[in-house]
Amino acid sequence: MDRPPRIAVLGSINMDLVVRCGRLPRPGETSIAESHVEICGGKGANQAVAAARAGGDVTMIGRVGDDAFADRLRANLISEGIHCEWVQTTSGSASGLATVWVEQSGQNSILVVPGANAKLSVADVRAAKSVIESCDILLLQLEVPLVTVTAAIDVARRAGVRIILDPAPAPIECPTKLLDVDLICPNESEAAAISGIAMDTNDELNRAVRELHRRGASHVAITLGERGTLLSDGETSQFVDAVPAKAVDTTAAGDAFAGAIAVHWAENNRLLDAVQFANAAGAWAVSRKGAQPGMGTRIEIEKTRDSIAKNGE
Ligand code: ADP
């Protein structure tokens, strides 16, 4: 491919409000926290940033509100080189917000208010049809309405566009069409929730993989944290080792993985190579603090990936 791969990301855009405190308040209790920071996040936006830094030509399809966060969320994406013509403003709505409370012990509680993300509609998908039809890969997650995600799958399918679904957060109900994708990349708990198979043994892991294929996914990549990724094309499955990393913050490893695999798979069509690249992106992300700040650039990911070969020499 003699141009950067075109990746369309349809998904959530949030402001993460991270409050640090000594101890999480109990119900009914008021306590004084130590500090707070506002960090641009949301699974869709995180994956868009991951894909852009990994070398993709990325277009974001999503919604922000008309509050004070909206301009900052949009400006943040633009500063990453992401096209935002399809990031629309929802009047009378707040932007998506995640309040993250972290206590000294590291324990945290998160409340997500979908805000404008919940307004991303089937009509928005129709409006962005030309972008979806002309991209190399459509990248999806589940922080926006399922009906919107399945509408996007429909449009991409008809146009022969490859689809990757990161099924996070795991859906409570799973419409059949949702798994009609070229690649699904759940983590262990999402794969267990969707397949209904607890995955304590390798045997169960393989059963879950088969179930995801049976429900429509052509390829399955279950991410297993520091154990790497289990990749399957329906005929054969193999473990792809993680790149060893000193983990300081594992928050958005899956987002780094999804953005990176989209770019690499679009570029060279070899999914195993793309998984190795995405594992390196995940390893880089866990070794850095913060979700979007922890997304590696192309050079950083390649160096991380190639460090395995060097260490093995
Ligand atoms: P999620 O963040 O969705 O739970 P995972 O924790 O499975 O996803 O991480 C995604 C990928 O990031 C893994 O497949 C792996 O390649 C990489 N990764 C995650 N944690 C580590 C770790 N501690 N060391 C090295 N790589 C990791």
Side-chain angles (χ1 to χ4, degrees), residues 8-312:
V9 181
L10 179 137
S12 60
I13 305 169
N14 289 342
M15 186 60 86
D16 293 348
L17 199 63
V18 183
V19 179
R20 295 193 178 277
C21 56
R23 182 178 60 71
L24 295 174
R26 296 197 185 89
E29 187 184 17
T30 300
S31 53
I32 306 292
E34 288 159 11
S35 64
H36 94 274
V37 279
E38 292 161 7
I39 305 170
C40 295
K43 285 202 150 287
N46 287 350
Q47 295 186 11
V49 169
R53 293 211 192 138
D57 178 8
V58 180
T59 301
M60 180 86 213
I61 304 166
R63 279 195 171 266
V64 291
D66 59 359
D67 55 356
F69 288 144
D71 288 346
R72 282 168 56 196
L73 290 167
R74 200 187 289 270
N76 172 64
L77 293 170
I78 291 170
S79 75
E80 298 284 345
I82 295 166
H83 307 291
C84 286
E85 293 83 355
W86 302 100
V87 175
Q88 303 198 53
T89 302
T90 308
S91 306
S93 172
S95 297
L97 179 74
T99 55
V100 184
W101 299 4
V102 188
E103 71 171 28
Q104 239 155 27
S105 68
Q107 175 97 308
N108 65 35
S109 295
I110 303 176
L111 269 175
V112 178
V113 192
N117 294 308
K119 306 276 167 57
L120 192 67
S121 67
V122 174
D124 294 333
V125 170
R126 279 195 212 112
K129 194 163 169 263
S130 61
V131 176
I132 296 174
E133 288 175 343
S134 61
C135 70
D136 298 304
I137 286 193
L138 172 67
L139 179 56
L140 302 163
Q141 325 73 32
L142 302 178
E143 280 187 340
V144 293
L146 287 189
V147 59
T148 308
V149 175
T150 52
I153 290 174
D154 253 352
V155 171
R157 269 268 164 269
R158 287 210 187 105
V161 165
R162 223 182 270 171
I163 308 161
I164 300 179
L165 171 68
D166 176 0
I172 294 161
E173 33 113 29
C174 196
T176 331
K177 213 176 255 171
L178 196 61
L179 301 197
D180 180 21
V181 296
D182 297 281
L183 171 67
I184 188 166
C185 52
N187 66 13
E188 257 177 307
S189 59
E190 290 144 8
I194 296 169
S195 66
I197 299 167
M199 301 202 301
D200 301 325
T201 63
N202 279 354
D203 188 43
E204 284 170 336
L205 199 52
N206 284 317
R207 273 178 47 217
V209 166
R210 284 199 297 277
E211 176 63 10
L212 295 173
H213 283 305
R214 193 189 67 75
R215 305 257 290 268
S218 312
H219 299 85
V220 175
I222 301 186
T223 65
L224 303 166
E226 62 187 358
R227 289 185 293 142
T229 303
L230 176 64
L231 173 64
S232 166
D233 62 5
E235 304 263 294
T236 53
S237 66
Q238 61 184 310
F239 283 98
V240 186
D241 285 338
V243 180
K246 202 164 159 234
V248 297
D249 179 0
T250 59
T251 321
D255 291 338
F257 182 96
I261 201 167
V263 171
H264 208 282
W265 197 26
E267 274 172 0
N268 79 0
N269 281 323
R270 285 193 296 271
L271 194 50
L272 176 59
D273 289 354
V275 169
Q276 283 162 344
F277 182 76
N279 276 355
W284 176 270
V286 299
S287 67
R288 296 286 180 294
K289 278 207 155 158
Q292 290 186 14
M295 300 303 174
T297 61
R298 179 72 181 217
I299 291 172
E300 288 162 345
I301 298 170
E302 284 177 347
K303 273 196 184 151
T304 307
R305 179 195 60 193
D306 297 343
S307 68
I308 295 195
K310 286 217 183 76
N311 292 337

